[in-house]
Amino acid sequence: MSEAQVTFRQFLLNNRRAHGTDKDLIFLLEDIATACRIISHRIRSGAFAGTLGATKDVNVQGETQKQLDVIANEVFVKHCSNCGRVAALVSEEVDEIIWLKDRPAAGDYLVYFDPLDGSSNLDVNLSVGSIFSVVALEDALERTSDEAVLQKGSRQICAGYAIYGPSTSLVITTGSGVDGFTHQQGTGEFRLTFPDMRIPETTREFAINASRYHHWDASMRRYVDECLSGENGPRAQSHNMRWTASMVADIHRILTRGGVFIYPVDRENASMGGKLRLMYEANPLGMVVEQAGGMASTGTDRILDLPPQSHHQRVAVVMGSSDEVRRINRYYQEAQ
Ligand code: P6P
């Protein structure tokens, strides 16, 4: 193991020296890393503990909750509540905002998370993940309100995810690039194994749920039709497609080798504003993608500039290699 494979704590302390990372944020990120370690263990032991199945409950998203959705949420809530500077938690699994302080101070943290993204993959032993985002309150609050958590993605001070795959990895940005860590069996440490992750500008790989083709608008069909038309089509090159039904896994592949991830608003999901959620999926992963040199758009607007209307708001997502995101944005612009 090279010296470069520093532990997560050593990395955060180095980051503090280089970029002035606040010590409370370091404590919070270490608590989040602990939560991800625990979730990783609960997933990998789920078959023995009988926790792989579904509950009888439906969450605010209208999705049947898996037992591990509930467990992962409880682990995130517990570990994100340790740091005395966290004012509120917004969870994909919880309808209401979880306020930890009655009168939050300026600089207190708002933490947004999807504790177990892609949990339908648990039944078939495919990758799932956890997504997290941190915003620091600009001003103190006289009283708590739903509006207080409606912060633009551009105000995030930190974002990242854990992916529970063949290995458990943690990927974070605090605004100075993107770094990936791998959980080391035995020591339990997250070690820096993928420093300074970058997304190539160009790609020939796209990720979309192609079974929804008949719901898409003309711009999205135009883009995918061209990708599928190969060397004799307008792109004059062949493309590859991947879809893992876990945004974290698709985005991690894109961070590792490029690509573009697309979940458009379509005729069927338009009434809900799309499928994916802004505050704890598109914003955090959008910050990671941008910090790695990619782009994150709705097809028409930069995701991180969107003014949130509600904390479970949904949004169209196009993110990854910048050349492809620009092309898709252009197709939407030309259709206006
Ligand atoms: P579909 C998982 O439920 C999720 O929120 C994302 O992680 C994933 O990319 C998408 O939904 C999968 O959607 O239509 O393939 O089920």
Side-chain angles (χ1 to χ4, degrees):
M1 169 181 49
S2 73
E3 271 309 301
Q5 295 187 339
V6 295
T7 65
F8 189 52
R9 167 174 292 190
Q10 287 163 320
F11 172 85
L12 292 174
L13 293 176
N14 295 343
N15 226 26
R16 177 170 167 77
R17 279 189 283 277
H19 306 291
T21 310
D22 193 296
K23 65 176 173 38
D24 288 320
L25 182 59
I26 290 175
F27 295 147
L28 173 60
L29 286 173
E30 287 200 302
D31 281 332
I32 289 173
T34 299
C36 295
R37 281 189 195 92
I38 293 168
I39 293 167
S40 178
H41 170 68
R42 296 301 298 269
I43 291 168
R44 296 179 195 295
S45 57
F48 309 114
T51 53
L52 289 180
T55 68
K56 294 184 173 56
D57 302 321
V58 174
N59 66 14
V60 63
Q61 316 294 339
E63 298 160 347
T64 301
Q65 282 185 308
K66 302 281 187 190
Q67 292 176 70
L68 282 165
D69 282 322
V70 176
I71 291 166
N73 181 62
E74 289 167 353
V75 170
F76 252 87
V77 168
K78 174 171 184 263
H79 286 82
C80 289
S81 304
N82 284 337
C83 164
R85 214 154 126 191
V86 175
L89 305 174
V90 174
S91 169
E92 194 237 15
E93 294 296 340
V94 180
D95 187 4
E96 298 304 317
I97 297 160
I98 302 168
W99 286 100
L100 302 178
K101 290 187 172 184
D102 295 332
R103 298 186 64 184
D108 277 355
Y109 299 140
L110 305 173
V111 185
Y112 310 77
F113 51 85
D114 181 353
L116 200 57
D117 170 69
S119 55
S120 60
N121 280 348
L122 288 168
D123 303 341
V124 291
N125 198 23
L126 293 178
S127 296
V128 293
S130 301
I131 310 170
F132 55 88
S133 162
V134 183
V135 168
L137 274 174
E138 210 159 11
D139 304 310
L141 299 178
E142 282 305 306
R143 67 189 63 78
T144 59
S145 70
D146 287 6
E147 290 67 32
V149 304
L150 301 182
Q151 305 270 345
K152 285 184 183 179
S154 55
R155 299 218 50 250
Q156 293 173 108
I157 59 170
C158 170
Y161 61 86
I163 176 169
Y164 312 109
S167 64
T168 291
S169 290
L170 188 64
V171 174
I172 71 155
T173 179
T174 54
S176 311
V178 177
D179 295 282
F181 303 79
T182 302
H183 182 243
Q184 185 177 42
Q185 298 289 340
T187 65
E189 294 284 4
F190 277 109
R191 290 196 178 277
L192 180 64
T193 45
F194 304 100
D196 194 22
M197 298 179 85
R198 302 293 295 171
I199 298 176
E201 285 182 5
T202 61
T203 183
R204 294 168 61 176
E205 190 162 71
F206 65 101
I208 193 166
N209 181 347
S211 72
R212 303 185 64 84
Y213 185 95
H214 56 295
H215 293 307
W216 296 342
D217 61 30
S219 303
M220 191 43 59
R221 291 188 184 187
R222 172 186 176 190
Y223 175 74
V224 173
D225 286 346
E226 290 182 357
C227 287
L228 298 178
S229 57
E231 291 87 350
N232 300 323
R235 301 294 302 271
Q237 61 182 15
S238 61
H239 282 69
N240 192 30
M241 195 197 93
R242 287 284 184 274
W243 186 249
T244 68
S246 164
M247 188 177 183
V248 166
D250 282 319
I251 295 299
H252 188 70
R253 184 190 57 253
I254 289 167
L255 269 169
T256 307
R257 69 185 194 207
V260 61
F261 173 93
I262 312 164
Y263 212 113
V265 168
D266 61 36
R267 277 202 299 269
E268 187 187 55
N269 64 36
S271 59
M272 296 190 296
K275 164 88 188 258
L276 301 178
R277 277 62 55 138
L278 176 62
M279 304 306 287
Y280 37 78
E281 287 175 323
N283 272 343
L285 296 179
M287 180 181 183
V288 169
V289 164
E290 285 195 356
Q291 282 289 318
M295 285 178 71
S297 154
T298 63
T300 53
D301 301 291
R302 181 186 180 227
I303 284 176
L304 300 191
D305 288 339
L306 294 177
Q309 303 305 312
S310 72
H311 58 281
H312 290 301
Q313 172 179 339
R314 295 169 186 255
V315 69
V317 174
V318 180
M319 56 170 79
S321 295
S322 52
D323 280 8
E324 290 306 291
V325 176
R326 284 195 190 92
R327 175 183 291 270
I328 294 166
N329 289 351
R330 177 162 54 84
Y331 289 4
Y332 274 101
Q333 196 170 20
E334 288 169 358
Q336 282 177 354

